[in-house]
Amino acid sequence: MSVSKNLLKLDDQVIQNKNFVKNFLPFRSQSSGLDFEAIAGNVLATAFRKRLGKDSTLESYKSAVFERLRRKLTDQEFEPLIEKMYFNNDASGLFKVSPEFLIFKAAQAEASTNKHVAQILIGFIGNSSDRFRKLSSEVNFLEQELLEEFQKRLVDLSEAPVEYPYLPFVAEYFTQDLSFLLEHPGYFLENLRLFFNLYTFLYSSQLALNINSWTEVPESKPLFFILDSEKASLERKYVRESFPLLKSKALDLFPLLSMLEYLNNPQDKRANKFPLWKVFLDIDNMSYSERAEVGKSLAELCQRYRKRRELPEIQEYPENIKGLFGLLSRTAKEIFQNKGTSQYDVNTKFVNTFENEIASDFIQVRGRSGRVLTISQDYLLLLTNLAIGRKKQVQFQELLNEFKKRGVWFDRQSEQAIIRFLERIGNVERMSDSGDAVYVRKTL
């Protein structure tokens, strides 16, 4: 279904008593924490276009494995040892063998916040033309038996995601980085939580920074970090202003995305869901008569929206699409701006969840500078490996540009701190004292 088909249903939209967001937002007003293994399982099922067959459970798989092994093991006394190695503690050992086994956990991603994050990440790779190669984990003969029995239980996955990526540049780099990581299964499993947590935060933060720029395709906007080992002195303006800016922009996420729901035919769960900028650009490219018809429907939607929320009536509506989108956006924000109202409280809870759950690994309090955005050494090394990717090494400035493309920016002081850190761990090669002649290698 296209944008234009969704818009044909505009006149049928009934404004609900409460605002709601079902798409594009990876967090809600309450969160009990994320299960990144479950999210990874859901994402990998989409990446490999495979899912577990009906009635295929971990218990039935375990039974099949031991039945298979009994025909090959000369000493049945090994069975308790195998069970302890791979199936004890909720099969924690099994999930360390190969990323493929995480597909067992895919169903858990349907619960709570996991579902919202998985839905967005699945949209990234589901809308990509990239195909992920079959994993080539270095496994022993016993683990090869486990893999072969598991792969017998997989069936083709044909479902297509309904969400069009809100941030195509994040979708592109997530897909690229996931593909690279899966070429190194052991490293992927070791850094699984870091990788998915990083991209959940990068997507959420860049979504906040881009949410009001609906007249153009989103791009990576400046968001400055420091290393968690650095000092955040007051003269570092970009560092000091980044988090307050991000939090202020996050206030617009729930209002605008809740308004967007009505433009995406919410009654039809199978209808494709498009970003606000995509809806605007598609309308802007319509013929004059089509734009006029859509404009009329948008004005009537706005009128119903304002009346339902008991907002002042608009005497004259804009005649152009940009003006109507601007009015709809202002209306959505107006609903949540009055302190003491339930709408204001709901939006505040969403922003607090973003700060306390999604962004918690990336925020530190630094004296008079207040809260600043930070990157730990673990995240920096992961980002460095992702940025270099399949290359042997890259120039330092190229590395910084790759960081920026993913939404991570550094000022000059942090750049020097990064070089010193990478030199200490032996990842830097200097051809001369010039910054352009500094090369960085992967840790893989």
Side-chain angles (χ1 to χ4, degrees):
M1 186 172 287
S2 63
V3 168
S4 59
K5 288 183 179 179
N6 282 345
L7 293 174
L8 290 174
K9 301 294 183 179
L10 268 179
D11 294 338
D12 299 332
Q13 302 308 319
V14 177
I15 307 301
Q16 304 296 316
N17 289 322
K18 293 183 179 180
N19 291 74
F20 62 98
V21 173
K22 294 183 178 179
N23 301 284
F24 302 118
L25 195 64
F27 56 91
R28 295 300 184 264
S29 59
Q30 294 182 338
S31 174
S32 56
L34 295 171
D35 183 342
F36 288 107
E37 286 193 345
I39 291 168
N42 215 324
V43 170
L44 291 176
T46 301
F48 298 127
R49 303 294 194 268
K50 296 289 184 181
R51 63 173 177 82
L52 283 169
K54 188 178 180 181
D55 300 327
S56 186
T57 65
L58 189 58
E59 279 302 314
S60 66
Y61 166 73
K62 175 182 168 182
S63 298
V65 164
F66 282 114
E67 183 178 342
R68 178 189 185 105
L69 292 178
R70 287 186 190 107
R71 299 193 297 267
K72 299 187 178 184
L73 289 174
T74 56
D75 189 346
Q76 302 305 318
E77 291 184 1
F78 280 113
E79 281 194 27
L81 179 60
I82 294 170
E83 178 160 2
K84 182 178 179 180
M85 288 172 60
Y86 297 107
F87 295 102
N88 280 9
N89 300 318
D90 295 323
S92 59
L94 183 69
F95 297 120
K96 294 176 183 177
V97 173
S98 171
E100 288 172 278
F101 287 112
L102 291 169
I103 295 176
F104 267 126
K105 295 196 173 191
Q108 297 175 30
E110 295 299 313
S112 187
T113 310
N114 296 327
K115 177 180 180 180
H116 307 306
V117 174
Q119 179 176 307
I120 287 163
L121 300 181
I122 284 170
F124 288 172
I125 58 178
N127 284 281
S128 170
S129 59
D130 288 16
R131 289 294 177 266
F132 293 82
R133 293 184 297 179
K134 185 178 178 180
L135 295 181
S136 55
S137 303
E138 295 182 1
V139 295
N140 58 43
F141 74 95
L142 176 58
E143 291 167 350
Q144 185 61 41
E145 295 291 329
L146 296 176
L147 272 171
E148 289 178 6
E149 184 61 37
F150 173 71
Q151 288 164 352
K152 285 168 54 178
R153 296 169 169 265
L154 297 177
V155 297
D156 290 340
L157 176 68
S158 57
E159 297 174 8
V162 298
E163 280 190 7
Y164 187 99
Y166 208 109
L167 303 177
F169 72 94
V170 176
E172 175 187 352
Y173 286 104
F174 174 80
T175 303
Q176 174 183 307
D177 291 345
L178 178 63
S179 177
F180 167 70
L181 283 180
L182 290 176
E183 294 174 9
H184 307 274
Y187 184 75
F188 170 77
L189 289 170
E190 290 171 9
N191 291 275
L192 182 150
R193 179 192 172 277
L194 291 179
F195 177 68
F196 285 99
N197 197 40
L198 174 66
Y199 263 101
T200 301
F201 170 71
L202 292 180
Y203 170 80
S204 301
S205 57
Q206 287 294 323
L207 181 65
L209 296 176
N210 279 278
I211 194 67
N212 286 293
S213 302
W214 38 260
T215 60
E216 58 192 7
V217 179
E219 59 183 15
S220 177
K221 295 190 181 297
L223 190 65
F224 285 86
F225 296 74
I226 61 171
L227 299 190
D228 61 0
S229 57
E230 286 186 86
K231 293 182 179 179
S233 51
L234 289 175
E235 71 270 11
R236 299 180 72 175
K237 178 182 176 183
Y238 293 135
V239 169
R240 185 164 42 84
E241 293 179 351
S242 258
F243 178 74
L245 172 66
L246 177 59
K247 188 169 182 179
S248 69
K249 297 294 185 183
L251 284 166
D252 292 335
L253 284 173
F254 184 73
L256 289 182
L257 292 177
S258 64
M259 179 273 292
L260 174 61
E261 291 286 340
Y262 293 106
L263 307 184
N264 275 321
N265 191 12
Q267 286 99 334
D268 186 352
K269 293 182 179 180
R270 294 175 297 177
N272 291 111
K273 312 302 178 183
F274 298 96
L276 191 57
W277 61 267
K278 172 70 172 169
V279 178
F280 172 79
L281 292 177
D282 277 25
I283 296 174
D284 203 42
N285 287 322
M286 290 178 177
S287 66
Y288 176 81
S289 60
E290 288 175 318
R291 282 201 310 274
E293 192 66 29
V294 171
K296 180 181 177 183
S297 294
L298 287 172
E300 291 176 353
L301 176 71
C302 188
Q303 187 178 40
R304 298 197 304 276
Y305 203 4
R306 295 184 70 86
K307 183 178 180 180
R308 187 71 168 182
R309 294 293 184 269
E310 299 180 347
L311 297 176
E313 188 176 343
I314 300 295
Q315 299 302 318
E316 186 175 354
Y317 282 84
E319 295 183 0
N320 59 72
I321 296 300
K322 185 177 180 180
L324 286 166
F325 266 65
L327 179 57
L328 277 167
S329 298
R330 290 193 299 274
T331 295
K333 296 176 193 177
E334 194 176 341
I335 294 168
F336 294 90
Q337 69 183 8
N338 295 322
K339 291 185 178 181
T341 63
S342 60
Q343 291 92 343
Y344 180 89
D345 292 341
V346 166
N347 198 28
T348 300
K349 288 180 180 178
F350 269 81
V351 176
N352 288 341
T353 299
F354 168 67
E355 180 180 348
N356 298 326
E357 298 286 342
I358 303 299
S360 60
D361 277 10
F362 306 93
I363 300 173
Q364 289 185 5
V365 179
R366 296 297 184 85
R368 287 191 296 167
S369 295
R371 283 171 293 182
V372 298
L373 297 172
T374 63
I375 287 283
S376 71
Q377 293 180 359
D378 288 340
Y379 279 111
L380 179 64
L381 286 176
L382 174 62
L383 261 174
T384 299
N385 288 328
L386 295 176
I388 298 173
R390 297 177 179 89
K391 298 177 182 177
K392 183 179 179 181
Q393 61 183 18
V394 297
Q395 284 188 345
F396 182 63
Q397 289 303 317
E398 183 182 346
L399 180 72
L400 295 176
N401 287 334
E402 290 296 321
F403 290 169
K404 290 178 182 178
K405 291 175 183 178
R406 291 163 173 80
V408 179
W409 299 58
F410 294 104
D411 67 5
R412 287 298 179 89
Q413 285 182 247
S414 287
E415 290 176 8
Q416 294 306 308
I418 291 171
I419 288 181
R420 290 194 295 271
F421 167 69
L422 294 174
E423 282 183 321
R424 285 199 305 272
I425 63 173
N427 278 47
V428 169
E429 182 177 356
R430 286 186 181 270
M431 301 301 184
S432 73
D433 291 335
S434 167
D436 291 336
V438 174
Y439 288 82
V440 181
R441 297 184 294 269
K442 296 192 293 285
T443 61
L444 284 172

